[in-house]
Amino acid sequence: MEQLLSGTGSDALIPYIYLACGLAVLIVCGNILVTGSVQIARHFKISTLVVGLTIVAYVTSAPEMFISVGAALDNAHDIALGNVIGSNIANIGCILAIVVIISPITIRNRAIGIDYFIMFFVTVLLFIFGLNGVIGLFEGICFVTILIIYTVWSVVKSRKATNAKDIESATIKPLIALLMIIAAVAGLYFSSGWFVKGAREIALQWGVSERVIAVSIVAVGTSMPELVSSLVAAFRKEADLSIGNIIGSNFFNITGVLGVSTIVHPVNVTNMKMFTTDMIWLFAITVVLLLVMVPLSKGKINRWEGVIMLLIFSAYMFTLYR
């Protein structure tokens, strides 16, 4: 793509072209991903919530996986770790907030509370593991083990608890649905790369640090698949898929993305003060998510609650760039 853009004129426009092209492909792939995932859920009689927590959440976190693993191998520790923490903050404070503001989410499945506390548990575990200044092989194995156990447990529990009669019949053959998901993942990989490349070049022109780039520009950029997928799910009245995608993505970012990254290469906490500060913001926005979800019996996250989450995220961005 870079060769195609090299002859278009001013080099200053190239990063913005990357941003626009990346976002356009993200939107298309997000739509395909949601369609394929819902069809897979209906074929295997799995609840939409579990699909959101697993299949959709994991594949929309593919950009974080590619970036963090690559950063770990390149010894870019701030990007490897900052991408995960920043993406989790952005998923709740920016992505979910925007989705709720556009289309309030009705929570139909109260079991989401259990998944929330599992996500919160691995967030606490990340903080504990990082206190010694390095997240290495042992921590990575712990994270990946938790990921495997949780995924198997979620699918088994869903199949036992879900009444097949309550699930709509699939309208697309399973092989086609699987190919749709694979194609969407490929599209998300390339388009998120274009988006992050453009965003990072613009940020570098502004003269900000690698850590700030990681927890803001790169984090928001790699969270674009979650935004698109959650919006598409919300508009299609698949609320469980929408909220499940956010919680599942945050869980996978820690256990999957950081877990695999630290198994491949240990990630150092280069600045403990910055790590602690970013984790405090992550804990804060995660607790706010719990408050807007409780009581689950009310079954809805309203627009004004989305505004509060977005304001908290904006305050975090302000502290980064002030």
Side-chain angles (χ1 to χ4, degrees):
M1 184 175 179
E2 190 167 4
Q3 292 178 346
L4 294 175
L5 295 176
S6 60
T8 58
S10 176
D11 290 340
L13 294 176
I14 292 179
Y16 297 95
I17 296 175
Y18 272 111
L19 280 175
C21 291
L23 182 59
V25 178
L26 280 169
I27 293 173
V28 174
C29 291
N31 191 12
I32 296 174
L33 176 64
V34 171
T35 300
S37 300
V38 170
Q39 292 296 316
I40 289 291
R42 291 174 180 173
H43 275 293
F44 291 96
K45 308 304 179 184
I46 301 173
S47 72
T48 306
L49 173 61
V50 171
V51 173
L53 287 163
T54 55
I55 297 176
V56 177
Y58 297 173
V59 297
T60 54
S61 293
E64 285 93 335
M65 177 70 80
F66 289 119
I67 289 173
S68 287
V69 171
L73 291 173
D74 291 339
N75 290 317
H77 302 287
D78 283 346
I79 291 182
L81 182 59
N83 179 38
V84 169
I85 297 175
S87 291
N88 281 14
I89 294 173
N91 281 343
I92 299 174
C94 180
I95 307 306
L96 182 60
I98 292 174
V99 172
V100 171
I101 291 172
I102 295 175
S103 178
I105 292 177
T106 299
I107 302 174
R108 299 185 181 90
N109 195 330
R110 298 183 186 180
I112 191 69
I114 298 175
D115 301 296
Y116 168 87
F117 283 109
I118 293 174
M119 177 197 71
F120 190 81
F121 167 72
V122 298
T123 303
V124 173
L125 205 58
L126 168 59
F127 179 70
I128 294 173
F129 283 165
L131 288 178
N132 67 349
V134 60
I135 304 175
L137 177 62
F138 171 77
E139 291 85 354
I141 292 175
C142 287
F143 281 141
V144 172
T145 301
I146 292 173
L147 171 64
I148 294 172
I149 294 173
Y150 169 78
T151 304
V152 173
W153 172 76
S154 295
V155 173
V156 172
K157 181 188 69 170
S158 175
R159 287 183 61 85
K160 288 182 178 179
T162 303
N163 188 343
K165 295 180 180 179
D166 297 331
I167 299 178
E168 296 181 30
S169 299
T171 57
I172 298 177
K173 293 182 179 180
L175 179 58
I176 296 177
L178 180 60
L179 291 175
M180 290 174 67
I181 293 175
I182 294 174
V185 172
L188 290 172
Y189 167 70
F190 289 107
S191 57
S192 63
W194 300 337
F195 188 96
V196 171
K197 178 178 176 62
R200 188 178 186 184
E201 289 182 1
I202 293 172
L204 288 173
Q205 292 174 4
W206 296 347
V208 296
S209 69
E210 187 177 87
R211 171 250 177 182
V212 171
I213 293 173
V215 297
S216 58
I217 303 299
V218 174
V220 173
T222 54
S223 293
M224 290 307 296
E226 283 88 345
L227 173 60
V228 176
S229 299
S230 293
L231 275 176
V232 171
F235 286 135
R236 293 186 177 186
K237 307 302 180 183
E238 298 282 359
D240 286 342
L241 186 64
S242 187
I243 186 70
N245 179 31
I246 298 300
I247 292 179
S249 291
N250 278 21
F251 170 80
F252 184 78
N253 282 344
I254 295 175
T255 58
V257 174
L258 192 59
V260 172
S261 298
T262 52
I263 288 175
V264 171
H265 191 281
V267 172
N268 296 326
V269 181
T270 57
N271 190 315
M272 186 59 65
K273 183 177 180 180
M274 288 183 180
F275 171 73
T276 303
T277 300
D278 293 331
M279 286 301 301
I280 289 174
W281 280 99
L282 177 55
F283 280 127
I285 197 66
T286 303
V287 170
V288 169
L289 174 60
L290 175 63
L291 295 177
V292 301
M293 289 172 57
V294 173
L296 292 176
S297 57
K298 75 176 182 178
K300 193 171 186 178
I301 304 179
N302 298 299
R303 284 190 174 90
W304 67 268
E305 293 168 323
V307 171
I308 291 176
M309 291 189 289
L310 189 58
L311 287 174
I312 294 174
F313 178 74
S314 300
Y316 174 59
M317 289 294 103
F318 175 78
T319 62
L320 291 176
Y321 287 91
R322 65 179 178 179

